[in-house]
Structure formats: C-alpha cells, structure tokens
Amino acid sequence: MGHPPLEFSDCYLDSPDFRERLKCYEQELERTNKFIKDVIKDGNALIGAMRNYSSAVQKFSQTLQSFQFDFIGDTLTDDEINIAESFKEFAELLNEVENERMMMVHNASDLLIKPLENFRKEQIGFTKERKKKFEKDGERFYSLLDRHLHLSSKKKESQLQEADLQVDKERHNFFESSLDYVYQIQEVQESKKFNIVEPVLAFLHSLFISNSLTVELTQDFLPYKQQLQLSLQNTRNHFSSTREEMEELKKRMKEAPQTCKLPGQPTIEGYLYTQEKWALGISWVKYYCQYEKETKTLTMMPMEQKPGAKQQGPLDLTLKYCVRRKTESIDKRFCFDIETNERPGTITLQALSEANRRLWMEAMDGKEPIYHSPITKQEEMELNEVGFKFVRKCINVIESKGIKTEGLYRTVGSNIQVQKLLNAFFDPKCPGDVDFNNSDWDIKTVTSSLKFYLRNLSEPVMTYRLHKELVSAAKSDNLDYRLGAIHSLVYKLPEKNREMLEILIRHLVNVCEHSKENLMTPSNMGVIFGPTLMRAQEDTVAAMMNIKFQNIVVEILIEHFVKIYSGPPEESTAPPVPPPRATARRHKPITISKRLLRERTVFYTSSLDESEGDSDSFSKVRPPGEKPTIIRPPVRPPDPPCRAATPQKPEPKPDIVAGNAGEIPSSVVASRTRFFETASRKTGSSQGRLPGDES
C-alpha cells in the first residue's frame, strides 16, 4: 500500500497526523538504506566470487598450456598433431572467455557499487541531515513558544513585542526546515525508483553481454570440437590396431626371444663370462659381446670395472675358429673356446645356458653340430589363381548380402568356422570347391576369412620392397605429395599385386558408400586393412609404431581410388621428392584460437548532448582482435516499447545494431534487452515518444 503524499501546507500546521505520515516516510527511507547496504555487500561478494572464479580458470588454462605431449617414433599423424596442440587451443579459448569476464568484473564496481554508494551517501545521507535540522529547529521553536506563553501580561509592551518577533522568527525557521525536509524526503522516495534500478540494470546488462560472448564462443567452438573428436576416435582406432600387433609380437618374443632379430644388428649378442688367468689364480670377468658373422668380428665390452682403475674400452677381435669345451676338462658349465688373430692362445667363454651356448656356437660356425627344432610357423598362403578366386567370391557374397551390415569387417567371426572355410576352399584335392551360399558361412565368417587370407600371405599385397617408401610417403607434411607418391608407388607393385589391390580397394570404396548403414568410414577401413595389406619384414616395436601410417596409406587409396586407378601418374606432374627431415615433423593443426572473430557492437560512454548530435557514435563494429569495452548505459534511457502495439513476427536472432524501434520483441526479457540496446541511439530522436506513435 502506498504512502499518502505530504502536503506543504501541513508543514505549517505540524499536526499529529502530519507527524505520523512523516514517520512512515522515515521508516521507508531507513528500509531503503538497509536494502542498498545489503545490495552493495552482496554485490561485492558476487564480484569477488567472479574474480576468484576467473582467476582459477586462468590458472587452469596456464596448467593446460604448460603441458607438452611427447610421442614415440619420428613422426606424428595429422590426428596426433591435432591432439598434441589441443591443450594450447583449450588454454587460448579459456583465456579469451576469461578476458571478457575480467573486463566485466573490472567495470562492475563502477556500474553497480559506486552509483548505489553515491545515492546512499549523497541523497539518503543529505535527507538525514535535513531531518536533524528539522528536529533541532522544531525543538527550539516549541521550547521558545512554551516560554513565550508563560510571559506575564504585566510586562512592558516593548518586551512583549520583542518576544512576539522572536517567536515569529523561530516559527519561520522551523517552517522552512519542515518544507525543506518534506521536499527532500519525497524527492528521495521518488528518485530511488531509477537511481537504484538503473545501476542494477547496467550491471545485469554487462553480465548478460559477457554470457552472450560465451555463447558465441561456444558456437565457434563446435566445429573444432567435432574435428577434434574425430581425431581422437581415429587415434583410438590406430591404438587398438597397434596394440593387437604389439601383443602378438610380445607373445612371439615370450615363446622364442632369439628369433626376433632387429635389422642392422649383430648376428648374435649377449652376456658372456671370460676366463682370465692371473699370477695368483683364475677369475671370470663379465663382458657384453656382439658377434657379426659376415666379418667374423667379436666385440667385447667389460661390465665389471673396478673403481679408480683405468677404464677399458670395447675390444674388437677377429675370430679364427670356435669349438665346444669338453665338460670333463673344466669345472664350469656351458663353456666353449675360441681363437682370434689379435690374442695368442685360446679364450674360454662361458654362456648363460646350454641353449645359449648352442646359439653362440651356431653363429660362430662351431665345430660341434647344432640340433634344434625349428620354431613352428603358421602355414603361409600364396597370391595365386586360387587366392584370386577366393577373394572375388568373398567380395561377391559380402556386397550382395551384407554390405549394409553394421560393423562390417570389424565384427569377428568364429575362429572354428573361419578355419573350416579356409581348409575347404584351399584343399589341394579340390581347391575352390566351396558353396558360399551355404548357411554355414555367415557374413562375419566370410569377412574374417578374407582378412585371414590376406594377412597370412607369404608376402603382403603391397610387398616388403615398397613398405618403407609407402610409410615415408604417409609421413610427409605435404598432402599433395602424399597422394602423388602413393599414386606412383602403386604402379611399382608387381602386376598381380596391383590387380589384387585394385579389386580390394574397389570393394572397400563400395563398403564406405554405405557408411550410414554399416558405420564403416574410410578411416575405419584403414584401421582394419592397414596391417592386412601392408606389413614390415621385421617384427619390431618400431615397425608396430608405423601401423598408423599404414592405415593412412589405405585410407588415401580408398578416398582417391578413381584418380589413382585411372592410370599411372605423368612424370611431369609427379611431385618433387621432399628433402630428408632434420627436425621433428611439424604440421599445421586444426585451430580455433586463430579464427576470425565475430563482429560485435560496442557501447561507448558519451553524454546526452553528444548522443543528440550524433547517434551513430554509440554503435560501432569491433574490428577483429580488439577486445570489447563493457560500460554503463546512458543515464536516461528512452521510453520502453508500447505493449499495446501490434507485435510483429520476431526475428530468429535480432541484430542489436540494426534494431528498429517499431519492432516489438516476443518476450519481456527480449523487450527489455531491445529497450536497453537502442538507448544510446534514441535518446535524442525518440525521447518522450512511444514506438507505437511513429505512425
């Protein structure tokens, strides 16, 4: 319920009813003063919380930016480069958001706290001073009036007249104080409607502007997020493929560690103990030995050097012959003797086990014959006429019956059924005599059998000879060179290998054309057929690390099948061979921090007089790279849109610069937003006029 107005005429009468109404105004003033104090206190707490939050986010972004990914091998894939650079992109994105927020926080005190504090001190404080003067003058007037009424009528006339003048003077002073106080308290009561609301409006506007910039940034972030998610999925697929090969290699190493020899390494190497004869007896010294069979060079590196003694370097010896040491001639086990050109006499060596001694003697062509059972190896298949027939039949069945099967080639069939199909088809008595329409052979069995056949060829379809060149092409920074080099290398394959590759890649293209149903993209097919069509000759961890580049080769063959198999590349269009890379490969990753910034409206502080002269000075487009300035809105906004006007159809995303005063927003929030955003442009032209009155 509203307060009754205070009439100036009541100030002269100073009736009890006037005093009661004045007391209601004073209570309302005190309540407003307490409210402003609470708003200032909570506002400072909110601003402090936002500042702390922003500082925490910036600290988090610094932590992200300080981390640097390390990697195995000499080259990263494009997807790995995107992932390696992602933390820096995240940090840039967070910094951009928090820079906007910190600008809002820095201006928040000027927008909210200072205007409210000024109103409380200047307006409410001044009113309280008026109240004190009013009460002091009233007390002095009524005290004087009481004394005046007690004067005796027997006083001299001159004394009575002087007393009357003094009372009239105090009454006049009290009346003026009462008028000033009533005027002031009613003025504060009315002006608080805008002097309190306006700073809160300005603060909320700056807060919402900051949030709207975050929304815009989120929209800019979505394409980067989708591309990064694709890179993460591709890298996860490459990892799964590599992990399977690594597990197989680890299993083979457990079964027969000596059979997995790295290229370019000695014929045999390991620890041996050498018998050293001294004046006081015999000692056995531990050496790490490497033997190269072609040059008959034995390199011995001492492992047990005494502290303070002269350090011995590696010793190179040229082998003459090797013979097993008889057991009864020495009290040590696993010994054999060698003679060299550099040292006179016989050198007695002790191996780590009987099997280890046999391996050393076999490598050194020892006189004692070596008997050991060869390691069992899975029967290899050949790229012959029967193999071509098998591949074509598998492809026909897959494309006619299961090309839309979800997870095609990724879902594994029963191993028993796969072996049964392969044994039946490659039976030497009647090869190729298998009915693929038999219900025993489901799509999973057929796809798994095809992959098994290709993986177990004696030489992979894309050959050992071209393996390093194909992997090197996939590692190139130049995307055009990748395609050109792989195009050229395909036509260096033997004719039957190139024919088989064309049959398979054409089939994979057909599979990828149905990716909406089977979910198999070129990238997914590359992960499956990279280790199937390409294989390094040596079984090493380094070779396994290159499987992801084998996958890229197959992916390029699928995506550019028409160009590659339209004919061999012309010599004139072949890309130049890039020079060898001296440093780590760098590739331009996907990015969001270097994007073109959106055009945004900036409100500049200006006086009402300037806005009347030049309304365009408030609305300017921010150039790319320039940070927006968040400021307080004009002191006197225009009249809000008339709700009685006929609403127009709202735009999907109204432009805050080109907004028309006659357009009525579709909601109260939109109405207030438009009302504020058009303030700086309409203070001169639309003051005192409703938008509906333009006609």
Side-chain angles (χ1 to χ4, degrees), residues 532-546:
T532 302
L533 301 179
M534 293 179 65
R535 196 164 66 248
Q537 195 162 9
E538 65 279 358
D539 284 338
T540 64
V541 173
M544 301 305 168
M545 290 295 106
N546 283 332

Side-chain angles (χ1 to χ4, degrees), residues 95-149:
N95 282 333
E96 188 172 346
V97 173
E98 294 313 312
N99 286 338
E100 302 281 0
R101 193 190 312 279
M102 285 305 293
M103 292 175 63
M104 183 272 292
V105 170
H106 289 160
N107 288 330
S109 180
D110 293 335
L111 292 174
L112 178 66
I113 306 301
K114 288 183 179 179
L116 291 178
E117 193 66 46
N118 290 339
F119 177 75
R120 193 181 72 82
K121 290 181 179 179
E122 296 175 3
Q123 299 296 324
I124 298 180
F126 181 68
T127 304
K128 289 184 176 181
E129 291 178 1
R130 290 284 189 185
K131 177 185 177 182
K132 290 179 181 179
K133 187 175 183 303
F134 166 74
E135 292 176 345
K136 184 178 179 180
D137 290 346
E139 183 179 354
R140 186 167 55 247
F141 166 67
Y142 285 113
S143 176
L144 180 61
L145 183 61
D146 288 341
R147 291 197 305 270
H148 180 69
L149 294 177

Side-chain angles (χ1 to χ4, degrees), residues 126-369:
F126 181 68
T127 304
K128 289 184 176 181
E129 291 178 1
R130 290 284 189 185
K131 177 185 177 182
K132 290 179 181 179
K133 187 175 183 303
F134 166 74
E135 292 176 345
K136 184 178 179 180
D137 290 346
E139 183 179 354
R140 186 167 55 247
F141 166 67
Y142 285 113
S143 176
L144 180 61
L145 183 61
D146 288 341
R147 291 197 305 270
H148 180 69
L149 294 177
H150 285 83
L151 286 178
S152 173
S153 59
K154 296 179 180 180
K155 292 280 187 181
K156 294 181 180 181
E157 186 64 26
S158 59
Q159 291 179 341
L160 293 176
Q161 289 179 356
E162 183 180 355
D164 291 341
L165 290 175
Q166 190 174 3
V167 169
D168 290 340
K169 181 180 178 181
E170 289 300 330
R171 179 184 288 111
H172 181 74
N173 290 338
F174 172 61
F175 179 57
E176 283 188 351
S177 297
S178 180
L179 285 175
D180 292 340
Y181 179 44
V182 168
Y183 173 82
Q184 181 64 29
I185 198 170
Q186 291 193 119
E187 183 183 78
V188 171
Q189 185 69 19
E190 290 298 305
S191 64
K192 72 177 183 182
K193 298 173 184 176
F194 51 87
N195 280 328
I196 296 178
V197 175
E198 190 178 57
V200 178
L201 172 64
F203 174 72
L204 288 181
H205 174 260
S206 67
L207 186 63
F208 295 152
I209 284 291
S210 176
N211 291 339
S212 69
L213 300 182
T214 305
V215 172
E216 290 182 2
L217 204 58
T218 302
Q219 295 173 351
D220 294 341
F221 176 69
L222 288 178
Y224 173 81
K225 171 196 167 189
Q226 293 170 354
Q227 183 62 41
L228 185 58
Q229 284 178 326
L230 181 61
S231 294
L232 291 170
Q233 185 59 47
N234 290 340
T235 304
R236 181 180 284 106
N237 292 339
H238 293 324
F239 167 76
S240 300
S241 175
T242 304
R243 182 174 59 181
E244 293 175 3
E245 298 295 327
M246 293 277 283
E247 288 175 351
E248 288 294 326
L249 176 60
K250 185 178 71 172
K251 183 179 179 182
R252 292 195 296 272
M253 284 293 296
K254 285 182 178 180
E255 295 173 352
Q258 296 295 337
T259 62
C260 299
K261 176 180 173 297
L262 298 178
Q265 290 192 346
T267 305
I268 189 172
E269 59 183 322
Y271 290 101
L272 293 174
Y273 286 83
T274 304
Q275 187 184 64
E276 302 283 354
K277 296 181 180 180
W278 308 95
L280 299 178
I282 297 174
S283 64
W284 292 84
V285 182
K286 186 178 180 181
Y287 285 84
Y288 188 81
C289 302
Q290 296 177 326
Y291 179 70
E292 187 60 55
K293 189 171 184 177
E294 293 181 0
T295 60
K296 291 190 175 183
T297 301
L298 177 65
T299 302
M300 302 176 66
M301 291 172 283
M303 303 303 296
E304 298 177 350
Q305 301 194 25
K306 296 180 180 180
K310 184 179 179 180
Q311 299 295 316
Q312 299 180 13
L315 178 64
D316 292 330
L317 303 174
T318 305
L319 184 71
K320 283 184 179 180
Y321 76 91
C322 170
V323 64
R324 183 179 69 84
R325 184 72 177 261
K326 293 182 179 181
T327 305
E328 61 271 12
S329 65
I330 192 170
D331 63 348
K332 296 286 186 181
R333 304 172 65 195
F334 320 134
C335 294
F336 60 98
D337 295 336
I338 63 171
E339 283 193 10
T340 64
N341 295 332
E342 290 76 12
R343 292 179 62 173
T346 301
I347 302 175
T348 301
L349 302 175
Q350 183 185 24
L352 303 181
S353 65
E354 183 62 32
N356 186 240
R357 179 174 67 173
R358 286 201 302 268
L359 290 172
W360 278 99
M361 292 186 65
E362 181 182 11
M364 294 180 173
D365 295 324
K367 289 184 179 180
E368 185 174 278

Side-chain angles (χ1 to χ4, degrees), residues 403-433:
I403 198 168
K404 295 183 179 181
T405 303
E406 184 176 327
L408 186 66
Y409 282 109
R410 186 178 288 277
T411 307
V412 182
S414 168
N415 189 46
I416 296 176
Q417 289 295 97
V418 169
Q419 292 297 330
K420 184 178 178 182
L421 174 58
L422 290 171
N423 292 336
F425 196 95
F426 290 96
D427 186 357
K429 297 180 180 179
C430 50
D433 188 15

Side-chain angles (χ1 to χ4, degrees), residues 1-44:
M1 182 177 179
H3 301 295
L6 296 173
E7 297 292 342
F8 291 141
S9 58
D10 293 336
C11 296
Y12 186 80
L13 297 175
D14 196 20
S15 63
D17 181 60
F18 167 74
R19 288 287 184 148
E20 190 64 31
R21 282 182 282 139
L22 186 59
K23 184 178 180 180
C24 294
Y25 276 77
E26 290 170 349
Q27 290 175 348
E28 176 63 22
L29 187 68
E30 192 60 36
R31 192 174 67 88
T32 302
N33 186 47
K34 183 178 181 303
F35 166 74
I36 293 176
K37 284 183 178 180
D38 291 341
V39 171
I40 292 173
K41 176 184 175 183
D42 295 340
N44 281 324

Side-chain angles (χ1 to χ4, degrees), residues 478-502:
N478 190 321
L479 302 182
D480 294 330
Y481 173 79
R482 287 187 200 174
L483 175 58
I486 292 173
H487 188 181
S488 176
L489 291 170
V490 165
Y491 286 88
K492 292 183 180 180
L493 289 170
E495 184 175 352
K496 64 177 182 178
N497 294 63
R498 188 169 67 249
E499 181 183 355
M500 175 61 77
L501 184 64
E502 181 177 0

